[in-house]
Amino acid sequence: MLFAWYLSFSATRLDRLHHRVETSWEHLDALLQRRAALALEIAHHNDLDPALDMLLTASAYESREAPMTDRDEAESLLSESLRMIRESVAAGDIQIKVALIDRLGDITEKIRVAISIHREAVTAVENLRSKRIFKVFHLAGRAKLPFRYSFEDDQL
Amino acid sequence: MTFPPSRIGMVCPYGWDTPGGVQIHIKELAEHFIALGHYVSVIAPVSDESTIAEPWLVSAGRPLAVPFNGSVARVAFGPVATSRVRQWIASNEFDLLHLHQPEVPSLSLIACWSAEGPMVGTFHTASSKQRTLVAAGPILEPIIEKLTARIAVSEMARETLREHFETDAVVIPNGLDTSKYSAAQRLDKWSYGPTIGFLGRFEEPRKGLSVLLEALPFLMKKNPKLRLLIAGPGDSEKVLKNVPSALRTRIEFLGRLTEREKADFLKSVTIYVAPNTGGESFGIILTEAMAAGATIVASDIPAFSEVLQSGECGALFASEDPHSLARVIEGLLVDAERREVLSHSGIESADKYDWKNVATQISDVYEIALASGAGVSLASENRPWKRFRTIE
């Protein structure tokens, strides 16, 4: 009886964590989409050199159009190009509308927070699911283990 | 045809100190034109400027590793690279610019955008991801339009160019110093067996070593003395794990070879196998093997079949099919006469890839581009002060 209660309690716990991963990912994804839109705006409004322009445009486009499995590279590329833009603006090498740069700084900060929240949720699920009782009793059902993307390691 | 001594600027999009086909091509091309009495300067991204050995090389700053087109490219872009390219163009008074891979987001594209005057572009790759091109097309098109003449290194590269940019190009293959290969020695340690040779980064799936390994049991059974020699960097343990233990003693790993050793290796092995499954635009390694007089067995991917003239200079097998590969190798192992014929026609047709012929063709293109007489200058529409027009 007690054991049955424990099983049900554990399953609920896991379910709650799974749900948390989903929400944190949705939040992160929405921010990434906003970043892509902002990147396109920056690319259109300033005469950056064509190589940087091309990387920015192509990766922003990819971020918005590609299926998630292909997006990892694009998000990394976007992080990298945008970091170069912010550094160049700080060094006075290029000029970009102050409003755009402010929004970029803002969204980068939000993405940084969103990534750390999402990672924390993923780690919690992984820890819980590695316990034997979850494996033996199939408490996770057919839910897939949450996926870690390599762009989450990028320096923003 | 020749043209009067000129000032030629070449732009390399990829990190100079990482090994690659494009870098080698530019280096040999530059040396060739310097030997002919022209002034040549090359600009490229460089990771460590203290290692530059060539007096004619200019650094555009450190390259960044960027995931692009399914692999990682070491390219340079951004304001620092741009100002170095501009400065290089402004201070050298070039008659002509030769831009390599101007469709890649790196220095060549920046140079093409920054300059005005005679410009030649060489396209090395065969394909680009569709989505990237859809997004980047509107940026690339007006810039690539500025090229006076276009060169594609293979029919496939030309086809891509036609498809994506609706412009045609002259096909001129990558150059090769055939004398290095014809001077190669046949060494007993690599020819005793008979032997099958494989060359390249064998861990990369597209190099196709797994296809060869699958064909191996059949071949080894028929030829009890056959040895497989694998040259190139990589982890041999991982490969051996997938091989039946009885055959492991007959596989040897030679590690990375020097240029000289590579030529000897190609000359020595009984059969050189190139089982690549794709991703090649031009089979530079096949032209080297041909020049060394190797008997070649290669997959029938378009790039290889083009270089081997549909099987005239080497035998082709159905790509990714180990049975077909085993049959073709076995057929050649028992037929010394046919091996001799293939080797001979290989040596003969490798000559057209020799620098003396390739550089002449490139010279012809240069001459046409130079005909306008105007030199290279910075384009007026993107002078730095123009930038301020968008600032609010």
Side-chain angles (χ1 to χ4, degrees), chain A residues 47 49-50 55 62 70 88 95, chain B residues 77-79 82 113 131 389 391:
Chain A
D47 36 4
D49 69 81
L55 287 173
E62 189 96 338
D70 293 353
S88 306
Q95 272 100 354
Chain B
F77 52 89
T82 306
W113 171 73
R131 268 198 305 266
R389 100 197 113 107
I391 311 291

Side-chain angles (χ1 to χ4, degrees), chain B residues 208-216 275 277 317-322 325:
Chain B
L209 179 61
S210 61
V211 183
L212 178 55
L213 291 179
E214 269 183 69
L216 217 51
T277 56
F317 72 94
S319 180
E320 297 183 60
D321 179 356
L325 175 59

Side-chain angles (χ1 to χ4, degrees), chain B residues 111-323:
Chain B
C112 194
W113 171 73
S114 308
E116 224 160 66
M119 290 191 272
V120 174
T122 292
F123 295 79
H124 292 262
T125 35
S127 67
S128 229
K129 232 198 281 179
Q130 199 61 38
R131 268 198 305 266
T132 314
L133 280 167
V134 168
I139 304 168
L140 287 176
E141 250 169 76
I143 298 171
I144 289 183
E145 254 169 30
K146 288 167 74 183
L147 295 170
T148 327
R150 296 156 192 81
I151 297 173
V153 298
S154 64
E155 279 297 334
M156 281 176 69
R158 180 184 175 204
E159 200 49 52
T160 315
L161 202 56
R162 254 204 299 235
E163 214 172 283
H164 295 311
F165 299 108
E166 290 171 9
T167 106
D168 209 348
V170 198
V171 175
I172 302 179
N174 281 330
L176 177 75
D177 184 358
T178 53
S179 65
K180 264 200 309 211
Y181 292 89
S182 53
Q185 311 261 321
R186 175 168 280 131
L187 302 175
D188 274 348
K189 60 173 175 177
W190 290 334
S191 61
Y192 173 74
T195 52
I196 296 178
F198 176 96
L199 190 72
R201 270 174 238 135
F202 51 80
E203 278 173 284
E204 276 182 35
R206 67 186 185 94
K207 303 284 182 194
L209 179 61
S210 61
V211 183
L212 178 55
L213 291 179
E214 269 183 69
L216 217 51
F218 170 78
L219 291 167
M220 295 274 185
K221 211 166 99 192
K222 286 241 172 185
N223 306 274
K225 283 191 175 153
L226 185 71
R227 292 188 298 149
L228 170 62
L229 307 177
I230 299 177
D235 183 357
S236 56
E237 299 287 318
K238 269 194 212 150
V239 173
L240 286 177
K241 259 201 324 225
N242 303 322
V243 176
S245 50
L247 300 180
R248 282 182 201 164
T249 52
R250 290 159 70 185
I251 302 179
E252 279 166 51
F253 289 87
L254 309 177
R256 192 194 284 270
L257 301 181
T258 64
E259 282 294 302
R260 176 77 191 276
E261 287 171 332
K262 186 168 93 178
D264 292 342
F265 175 78
L266 289 170
K267 175 133 191 146
S268 304
V269 292
T270 319
I271 292 175
Y272 165 67
V273 181
N276 302 41
T277 56
E280 301 288 325
S281 152
F282 180 80
I284 187 95
I285 179 63
L286 292 189
T287 60
E288 291 168 350
M290 276 156 66
T295 302
I296 302 168
V297 173
S299 51
D300 61 354
I301 57 174
F304 284 1
S305 145
E306 190 183 330
V307 171
L308 294 179
Q309 295 168 21
S310 315
E312 235 172 84
C313 316
L316 296 167
F317 72 94
S319 180
E320 297 183 60
D321 179 356
H323 298 291

Side-chain angles (χ1 to χ4, degrees), chain B residues 14 34 38 41 55 71 79 82 111 116 153 191 200 217 244 264 289 292-293 305 328 342 348 350 367 370 376:
Chain B
Y14 302 127
I34 289 169
H38 300 285
S41 175
S71 68
T82 306
E116 224 160 66
V153 298
S191 61
D264 292 342
S305 145
V328 172
L342 287 177
E348 251 168 58
E367 194 174 358
L370 282 166
V376 174

Side-chain angles (χ1 to χ4, degrees), chain A residues 3-110:
Chain A
F3 186 66
W5 172 83
Y6 179 67
L7 278 187
S8 136
F9 162 77
S10 300
T12 317
R13 220 176 122 203
L14 184 63
D15 189 50
R16 199 186 303 125
L17 282 178
H18 269 294
H19 185 68
R20 208 171 98 199
V21 168
E22 264 164 45
T23 16
S24 67
W25 169 252
E26 266 162 33
H27 182 62
L28 175 56
D29 188 34
L31 284 171
L32 291 172
Q33 294 292 310
R34 273 176 59 198
R35 178 174 77 160
L38 186 60
L40 282 178
E41 212 174 320
I42 291 176
H44 284 316
H45 275 280
N46 287 279
D47 36 4
L48 303 169
D49 69 81
L52 186 49
D53 187 355
M54 179 177 162
L55 287 173
L56 212 53
T57 310
S59 52
Y61 186 81
E62 189 96 338
S63 164
R64 309 188 82 179
E65 299 289 327
M68 195 52 229
T69 42
D70 293 353
R71 254 176 70 188
D72 207 6
E73 262 187 15
E75 298 298 350
S76 271
L77 198 46
L78 211 47
S79 302
E80 181 108 22
S81 331
L82 289 173
R83 191 158 54 93
M84 173 176 266
I85 285 179
R86 287 195 306 149
E87 282 170 8
S88 306
V89 168
D93 288 334
I94 48 175
Q95 272 100 354
I96 285 180
K97 270 199 243 173
V98 181
L100 279 181
I101 278 299
D102 285 349
R103 275 167 62 199
L104 179 60
D106 208 38
I107 209 151
T108 310
E109 196 47 52
K110 281 186 181 146

